[in-house]
Each structure stands twice: as C-alpha cells, then as structure tokens.
Amino acid sequence: MCGIVGYMGKENAMDIIINGLKHLEYRGYDSAGVAFVEKKKIKKIREKGKVDLLKKEIDKLKIITHSAIGHTRWATHGSPSKENTHPHSDCKNKIALVHNGIIENYLELKNLLKSKKHKFSSDTDTEVIAHLLEENLKHYPIFDSILNTINILKGSFALLFIFADYPELMIGVRKNSPLVFAEKDGDSFFSSDIIGISTYVDRAYFLEDETIVFLNKSKFSFFDFKGAEKKIPAKRIEKSSFFIEKKGFKHFMLKEIFEQPEAIRETIQDRYSIEDGTINIGIDKSLFEGIDKIKILSCGTSYHAGLIGSYFLESFGGVETSVILSSEYPYKELKEKETTLFIAISQSGETADTLKAIRKVKGKNRIIAITNVPESSITRESDNYVLTHCGPEISVAATKTFTSQVALLFLLSLQLSQQKNALNKKEIIKLLEELRKIPVQMEGVLNKSSLIEKSASKFYQKENFLYIGRWINYPVAMEGSLKLKEISYIFSEAYSGGQLKHGPISLIDEGTPLIAIAPEDRAKVKILSNIEEAKTRGAEIISIGTKGDSELLSLSDVMFSIPPVNEFLSPFLTIVYAQLFAYYIALRRGVDIDQPRNLAKSVTVE
Ligand code: AGP
C-alpha cells in the first residue's frame, strides 16, 4: 500500500510528481523517492521519511526534467531505510521502477537471480522485478521482456518503469493493485489513485486488472498480459465538493470530524422521500429477492459500521445478519447458499482483505459494495455498489466515512424492509424523519468540542483506557477505542458492558479510566449496573449518555450528553464524542494525528 506517480510531458515532472506524492501520502509515508533519466543515465533521489523531506532535497538540487516516476512507501518487505526506498534498479542501473503491492514469490525469484550473479542492494520484494526484467532484456525486446517478467510474478502489483536507454518510454502495469492513467494535451500521468493527478486532468483511464500501458512520448496504448492490444474507455472525473485542504483546521482529522453532518446530508439526499415513505438507494430490487441471510465483510472501522448496520438489517429488514472480518473470511470452509446476500464495506474500496473475501463469493452470491471511492477496485469488481458521498478522507483515522456508511446501511435496511413489508409505511416515515434530523443534532454535539478538549487535558497522560457499550453502542465503544489506539498510541480495549465481569474487570484499579457509551436505549439499565461495578472498583467514569440522565450523571466523573434520539440513531452522536476525545488526547500527546506511525489509509496488502 504505497503510492506511485508518473509523468511525461511539457511541465517540470518534479513539481507534478511531488504534488502527486503529497496527495498519495495517505497510502504510506515511511520513505519517498523519484527517478528520471538524465543523459541516458538513471538518476534517483530517495529519502527516508515523508515527501516533504524528498521535496527539500529536490529543491536543493534544482532538478528540471520532463519525465519521472515517484513513490511514497509503506514498508512491507525490508525496513523503512534509504536502501529500501523506491525506485529500485537492476545491476547496471539501466532500469528504474516503482511498485505498489507485494510480490509473493520474490524469495524464489531472488535466489534464482542470485544464482545468475545478480547483485541486490535492498531487502525489498520489488527489486527482483528490476533484475528479472534485466535478465529478460538480455534475450528479448522490451515489450516481450515486460510480458515475460510480469507473467512470472505472483501477488499484487502496480508498476511504473523507466529506462536509461529509452528516455521517451514509460511503462505502467496493473495487477491486483490500483493504477490510473490520464492524458491531457500531450501530457501523460500515472497515479495509484486519481487524487494524485486530479488537479491536472478531467478524464482518466481507470485501468482494469492485468493491463499494461505502453507510453512512448505522448503516444499510448493498452495491452493485456498476453500482449494483445485492448481498448479502455476514458471516464470523466467527478470533482468533489469537499476540498482536499484543511480549511483552517489544525488537522484533516478534525476537519473531517466536523464535516460529518454535511457528509451524511450528501450521502442520504435524493435517496428517500419522506412524503411517500419510499427509499431508493439505487440498487436493483432483485438483490433482495428470496434472501434469508446477510453477511457483511469488512475491516477496521468499516467492520464497526457493519456491526451497527447488522442491527438495522435484522430489526428493520427482518433478515439474520452476521458481520465477518474480511481477513478471516477466506479461512471459512463454507458452502454459501445462493440466498445469502453479501455486503462489502470499505471506504477506500481497495482493502486487499475485503477484495479477496468478495472474490471468494463473486459469481455465486449477490454482492453489494459500499465504498467512498467511485473507481476503486471493490466498486468495480462488485456488480452492485452504493457510494457514500463524503468527499476524500485524508486522515488515516476514518471518521466521516464511518458515519456515512452507517447512514447508508440505515437506508439500505429500510429499503429492504419496504420491499419485504417488514415495517409499515408509517414506521418507515418516522425513522426517515429521525434520520433527517441527525446532521443538525450532530452539529449540536460538535459545538461542544471545547468540553471534550478540556477533559482530554485531564486524561491524556493515562496509559490505558477501557471502553464499554452494549447493543448498538457496543460497536461505538469498539470504534472509539480503535480511534484512541490509532492516533494516540495509548493501549485501550473495548468490551460489551456485559463482558466486564467475565474477565476484564480484573484490570480495573484505582483511577482506571473507563469510557461508557450509555445513552437511553434498551440496554441502558444493564450498562448502568456495569458502570456501577467498575466504579466500585475505583474506575474513573467518562460517560456518553442522554441529556438529563441524572442516574448516569451521578455515577460519572465526566459526562457528555446527546439529545434524546431514537435508540437506533444514537451511534451517530455518541461516536462524535468518542472521535473528539481520541483527537484531543492525541493532540495533547503531540503525535502525528493525520499520519500515525506504522499505518496507511489504504491497506492493499493482506
Ligand atoms: C480506520 O480508522 C482505520 N484506518 C482502518 O481500520 C480502516 O477502517 C480499515 O483499514 C478498513 O479500510 P477500508 O474501509 O478502506 O476498507
């Protein structure tokens, strides 16, 4: 899950590559590098750390070139050192390439190439590709050598190649890792994600799997892995109304937390009518016909959204629903019945685990994908998809995509209910009216952010936190805990309130902070007892509950309140406090909030 960019054209390639890499830094930021050809020699500049460090070096050297490739890395094979930074080359430094993905058979290939006296200068899987191509070029012309090379590789790869001896050539290859190509007025661009080049182009070729792009000066052609030419249509790029700027916020994460009301409005608008109580999220009726089970596949935050969605699907749609981590699904030895509907949730639409899981049932079962990225791999590989309309989410920690996924699952379950006559029209209209109020109620919670900031200053030095919730707010506790771990590096764990007494309660000691998500709902009485049990043992209680709940207030050291809402909708509000709490704790601890260590936004490795 790295980001790659390529450019060939009239402008200074360095400006375009650096700008592209900055936009792709969400994919990884361990190290960054560029390569270009100068006087028939490959030149490389590589820096450990973020793209800004690479930019400094490039600015110092005042490089001007009209063709280059660049890479921002999330280390998989080999530490994030300078030697392991892309681009990588062959023994004679005649080839430079950048790679996103993983070469699964690299060890086998490396041993074979070593036996042919190839010298390796990194620990990466990527470097074998350069040497393999070098080996092929000894016997075959360039195009055949590319074909021979890529057809031996196992795993996932988006690749860009340049050649010292052919400065006007750039070759792009895509298999199981995203790659976009675009051309405008004779200038050509490659990027892992359209976001890397969208400032320069209006149309792009979203390459399908097993595609080669052969770019010679400004002429380009597409080929499959057998070498046959193919046509790919260019698509208009939808420019988002959300900007990729911080708009005065200190971090993208904070900006994105505050964008949630708007993201939900954008996601639900035009998809329902309160007047006649109908829902149409743009999926075919046939998808719900005859289904008796729903399985949701997702990871991380999207998994938590799926857990909340499962309550909607069961309660409104009346269909038994299970939520499975995509990374675990391939190990299941199941013969899925045709009557099971799959829902894949992924904000990026690129998560390798989820992609693999849906490939397992593709062609046999109906699949609906929920993503935030129109041209992502999961969107394109699913017969049916529904988009959240959040605009790009830059912060690694997902926030606005989470609440928009939940909003979409709410509508999806009401559409299912409508089709199955599970709820009556009056009940559906009532739920839609309540959903419509959520963005304004969220704004009310966001207006209290200074309260959270204040209490974060009290708790930020704690070394661990426990989160509890029950029923529909148990996944909120899990998501709140994930946010805290991700950006503050504080250890935390989330439990269903009912599970405390089955073990984790032994962790509670004088002053252990316990965050309880306990709004007014069917689980409230029970979670109050759980809070009481923890308090008796010395826990400091930070609660998120419903305004006016004096019982909860009396048990809490700090309480944040949401307005009274339908019990199914409280997660939209309780999570905002949990997100802000994690944010302000991390801010106090002075960590890199938008790009936390070891993480990447788009997880394209299994
Ligand atoms: C969220 O804050 C995390 N960065 C991560 O858990 C993420 O939700 C997970 O990797 C799944 O990503 P996806 O939604 O793009 O598939």
Side-chain angles (χ1 to χ4, degrees), residues 97-123:
L97 85 135
V98 287
H99 168 215
N100 168 36
I102 284 186
I103 305 304
E104 286 163 3
N105 56 340
Y106 88 101
L107 269 180
E108 182 193 315
L109 293 170
K110 195 168 179 171
N111 288 336
L112 181 89
L113 288 157
K114 273 183 173 169
S115 72
K116 296 192 177 192
K117 308 273 178 270
H118 284 262
K119 295 262 174 296
F120 284 80
S121 50
S122 79
D123 303 322

Side-chain angles (χ1 to χ4, degrees), residues 73 76-78 86 99 101-104 106-107 110 120 122-130 153 156:
R73 178 167 190 245
T76 56
H77 295 63
H86 297 220
H99 168 215
I102 284 186
I103 305 304
E104 286 163 3
Y106 88 101
L107 269 180
K110 195 168 179 171
F120 284 80
S122 79
D123 303 322
T124 64
D125 51 341
T126 303
E127 199 186 339
V128 295
I129 308 170
L153 303 177
S156 58

